[in-house]
Amino acid sequence: MSKPRLRLILVVAALACGAGLADTLVAQEASNMPGKLTLSPEVLGGPRQWTSPEGLTSALQVMLLLTIISLAPAVLLMTTCFVRVLVVLGLLRQALGTQQLPPNQVLTSLALFVTLAVMTPVWKQAYDDGVTPYVQHQIPLEEAWTRGAAPIRRFMSEQIERTGNSDDVWLFMRYSRPETEPTTYDDVPLTALLPAFMLSELKTSFLIGFQIYLPFLIIDMVVSSVLIAMGMLMLPPVLISLPFKLLMFVLVDGWHLIVGMLMESFTALGS
């Protein structure tokens, strides 16, 4: 083999080794570089894009769901019949004198199911009027909020008006100081309507609890009078009156009457 050919082969081999080494270094450098995070256009679009129907991606839907779950207790307490039902059931348990029976979990679950039965028409109308048109790109977000809140506002205002507690609205209106005096409940801001509704529910539930207490109070008084007349002063009257109260409550189907009375105490939507 001649020397020029040998030199050519050595040069080609050196160039090949250099190219391979360069590729290796580039690949190694690329692997050591930090990865770049690519954000979707929905995330980079800002709040207006996030609240648009197209921007409700799966990640944002999960975040929105978590936010709703965290606010659900406050919404449940302030805009539904849950307060009245739970307070009445608690007073009923105290009137029976059964201490912790039924347990708090049972009373809360019963109050939740009663609330679900009463509020389902309201929530359905709010969904049909507000959420459905917004998802179908028929109305903007502000109008969807107004339409969706209208059935709930109507429910709260009807309960306040039916129980005669409209003075509670004016109590909070004095502190809200609106620019114009409202003529209807639709003009009342939520900052005044929500606490007025809760105050009205507390008043109504205590009145119902007083009516429930009376029969059991009569039984306690009769048993106490009989024990005093018999000279059995050391025997606790509660120990004797509890079986009679339970017997009376079961015979008149008390749970059916109480739950039925609670559901009838609320004004049906559109009535």
Side-chain angles (χ1 to χ4, degrees):
M1 181 179 298
S2 61
K3 291 183 179 182
R5 184 176 298 180
L6 180 59
R7 291 179 180 176
L8 180 61
I9 294 175
L10 292 176
V11 170
V12 172
L15 292 176
C17 292
L21 181 60
D23 293 339
T24 304
L25 292 176
V26 171
Q28 185 176 2
E29 184 179 359
S31 62
N32 293 331
M33 292 178 62
K36 295 182 180 179
L37 179 62
T38 303
L39 299 178
S40 61
E42 289 80 3
V43 177
L44 296 174
R48 184 176 296 275
Q49 180 67 21
W50 299 343
T51 55
S52 64
E54 295 82 2
L56 293 178
T57 59
S58 58
L60 293 178
Q61 288 177 2
V62 172
M63 184 174 62
L64 182 61
L65 179 61
L66 293 177
T67 303
I68 294 175
I69 292 176
S70 63
L71 296 177
V75 175
L76 182 65
L77 288 176
M78 297 185 67
T79 63
T80 66
C81 60
F82 181 78
V83 173
R84 185 189 302 187
V85 176
L86 187 61
V87 172
V88 170
L89 293 179
L91 292 175
L92 171 62
R93 183 175 63 182
Q94 293 184 7
L96 285 172
T98 54
Q99 302 299 326
Q100 296 298 322
L101 293 176
N104 292 329
Q105 293 84 352
V106 175
L107 293 183
T108 304
S109 300
L110 180 58
L112 285 174
F113 282 111
V114 173
T115 302
L116 181 64
V118 174
M119 298 300 299
T120 295
V122 181
W123 291 337
K124 184 179 183 302
Q125 183 173 353
Y127 182 84
D128 294 339
D129 295 346
V131 179
T132 301
Y134 174 69
V135 174
Q136 296 177 354
H137 309 278
Q138 298 177 0
I139 56 176
L141 180 61
E142 292 78 9
E143 186 177 354
W145 164 258
T146 303
R147 289 189 180 183
I152 300 177
R153 291 175 60 96
R154 192 180 312 119
F155 171 80
M156 292 189 293
S157 60
E158 286 177 353
Q159 308 315 314
I160 295 174
E161 189 67 25
R162 183 179 184 182
T163 54
N165 294 322
S166 57
D167 293 339
D168 297 332
V169 178
W170 295 108
L171 172 65
F172 293 99
M173 284 296 297
R174 287 198 297 267
Y175 292 92
S176 299
R177 297 179 181 178
E179 297 180 357
T180 58
E181 183 175 343
T183 57
T184 62
Y185 282 100
D186 295 334
D187 301 330
V188 178
L190 288 177
T191 54
L193 186 61
L194 289 178
F197 173 72
M198 290 193 66
L199 191 59
S200 173
E201 290 296 286
L202 288 175
K203 289 181 181 180
T204 306
S205 60
F206 273 76
L207 288 175
I208 297 175
F210 171 75
Q211 297 175 3
I212 294 176
Y213 245 101
L214 287 179
F216 301 105
L217 180 60
I218 293 175
I219 294 178
D220 287 333
M221 294 177 61
V222 171
V223 171
S224 299
S225 301
V226 172
L227 292 178
I228 292 174
M230 296 176 61
M232 304 175 66
L233 301 179
M234 301 302 294
L235 184 63
V238 178
L239 186 63
I240 305 300
S241 63
L242 179 59
F244 289 100
K245 290 191 288 186
L246 291 178
L247 179 62
M248 182 197 71
F249 191 72
V250 172
L251 289 178
V252 300
D253 197 5
W255 289 111
H256 177 83
L257 293 177
I258 296 297
V259 174
M261 177 268 301
L262 282 172
M263 298 184 67
E264 292 177 357
S265 66
F266 294 98
T267 303
L269 187 65
S271 62

